[in-house]
Amino acid sequence: MNINELKQISLQKAEGFENIYFLNGFSSNKNNKERILYRYRPFLSALKDFSANKLGFVSPVLWKDKFERRFLFTDYSKYNFSGKTVRCMCFASDNAMNEEASWKSYNFEEKDTVIRMSIKSSELLFALDNFAKKQKSKVFVGEAIYGASVDEIENIHKQCKKYNQIFFSDSFNIEHYLSLMLLKRKAFIYENEIRIFILHDNKTSTRETEYSDKEKKSTTKLIDFVPVDFSQIIKEIRISPYCSNSEIVKSVLDGSYKIQKFKNVTISRLYENGSELDKV
C-alpha cells in the first residue's frame, strides 16, 4: 500500500472469524481469488518448524530495522491508550513482482539454502483464530505502508508534519498503533509485505522487560508459537535458484527420506535462461 493512497486508518472484523481483524481495507481475497502469502525461510529452520508443527511470531524488538519498531513502546497516554504485547510475522505478497529481489534479500548466507512457502491465507487465519481464542488474544492483518521518507517517519508524531493527522488522530486506538508498525521506507516497496500481529490483552510488556529478554537471549519469551498443520496451510514449496543441492532438498521435502512430505515441491527456474550472451 502506498501511503499517499491512505486517507484514514480503519479496522474491520474479518467475516467468519471470532478474533481476526483487518487493517486499512486489507482483504484475504484478491481479484476474486484466495490471497497467497509467501514466507521465505532457511531450509534447516523450516525443517524445525515442520517437525514442531508451529510458526513463531516474534516481538518487534527482534526486528533488525529500528525504524519499524520506533513506535512500539511510545507513551500514548495523551490519547488514553497504552501499548500492547505484540508478536508479529511478516510475509511477502504479489510474488510475480518481487520474487527475484526476494530470493536475493532472503539468501541470508551463501551456505544457507532458502525455501519459499506459499501459504493459503484462509487456512492460516483459521489456525490463528483458534490460537487467539485459546490465548484470549486478537489477530490483526495489514499491508505494509510504503512511500514515506526517513524524515517523515521519524517526525510523523509531530502535529505540523505530513501524515500526522492520519496516524495520530484524536480517536487514536489499536488500529493506529499497529499501522505505525506497518510503516516502511520507500526503498523496500518491492517487498509488498503483509504483517500479521498477535496482541495479548491480558499481558503487558515494557521496553525494559523485552529488551532485557533480548539481551539475555531469552528469545522464547519473545516468541508466540502458533500450532499449524503445514500440510493444510502450504500450497507449494519452492527451492531457491541459488541452491547448489536443490535435488537433495526436494527429496527431503517430497518425502523420499520420510522426514517431511509435501505434495507440491518445485525448484525455482528463475535464472534457467539467464546465461551470458555470446553474440548479437
Side-chain angles (χ1 to χ4, degrees), residues 41-143:
R41 196 90 166 103
F43 173 60
L44 294 179
S45 299
L47 284 185
K48 292 178 182 178
D49 296 340
F50 299 153
S51 297
N53 286 311
K54 290 179 181 179
L55 282 173
F57 285 68
V58 305
S59 166
V61 302
L62 297 176
W63 292 349
K64 292 181 180 180
D65 193 330
K66 294 180 180 179
F67 281 100
E68 297 178 25
R69 59 175 186 266
R70 177 169 172 74
F71 299 99
L72 178 63
F73 293 117
T74 300
D75 181 351
Y76 298 101
S77 55
K78 67 177 287 186
Y79 297 103
N80 196 29
F81 178 86
S82 58
K84 306 293 182 181
T85 298
V86 179
R87 300 292 180 258
C88 180
M89 181 171 282
C90 306
F91 300 85
S93 67
D94 297 329
N95 180 60
M97 178 178 176
N98 64 15
E99 180 181 4
E100 191 167 359
S102 294
W103 282 126
K104 285 190 175 183
S105 176
Y106 293 105
N107 195 50
F108 305 101
E109 296 180 31
E110 289 299 321
K111 62 182 176 60
D112 282 336
T113 292
V114 178
I115 65 170
R116 189 195 70 203
M117 294 172 273
S118 301
I119 296 175
K120 294 178 276 189
S121 58
S122 60
E123 295 290 345
L124 177 59
L125 292 177
F126 180 76
L128 284 164
D129 200 35
N130 285 334
F131 175 82
K133 186 176 182 179
K134 292 174 183 176
Q135 297 292 322
K136 297 182 180 178
S137 305
K138 291 184 176 65
V139 176
F140 300 81
V141 190
E143 294 181 4

Side-chain angles (χ1 to χ4, degrees), residues 97-208:
M97 178 178 176
N98 64 15
E99 180 181 4
E100 191 167 359
S102 294
W103 282 126
K104 285 190 175 183
S105 176
Y106 293 105
N107 195 50
F108 305 101
E109 296 180 31
E110 289 299 321
K111 62 182 176 60
D112 282 336
T113 292
V114 178
I115 65 170
R116 189 195 70 203
M117 294 172 273
S118 301
I119 296 175
K120 294 178 276 189
S121 58
S122 60
E123 295 290 345
L124 177 59
L125 292 177
F126 180 76
L128 284 164
D129 200 35
N130 285 334
F131 175 82
K133 186 176 182 179
K134 292 174 183 176
Q135 297 292 322
K136 297 182 180 178
S137 305
K138 291 184 176 65
V139 176
F140 300 81
V141 190
E143 294 181 4
I145 302 167
Y146 298 98
S149 66
V150 171
D151 179 72
E152 287 166 345
I153 294 175
E154 283 186 329
N155 296 288
I156 200 170
H157 59 290
K158 298 176 181 177
Q159 288 187 351
C160 60
K161 293 296 182 178
K162 193 175 183 180
Y163 309 121
N164 171 269
Q165 290 302 308
I166 295 175
F167 289 87
F168 288 90
S169 72
D170 292 337
S171 58
F172 188 96
N173 211 325
I174 192 65
E175 57 267 35
H176 299 81
Y177 174 64
L178 292 176
S179 292
L180 287 166
M181 280 182 274
L182 290 173
L183 283 170
K184 297 204 72 172
R185 305 190 300 288
K186 294 176 181 178
F188 299 100
I189 195 166
Y190 71 89
E191 294 174 338
N192 288 300
E193 197 170 87
I194 290 170
R195 292 188 166 174
I196 300 181
F197 301 96
I198 299 173
L199 266 68
H200 298 286
D201 291 333
N202 57 349
K203 294 181 184 177
T204 302
S205 294
T206 65
R207 187 193 306 267
E208 290 73 23

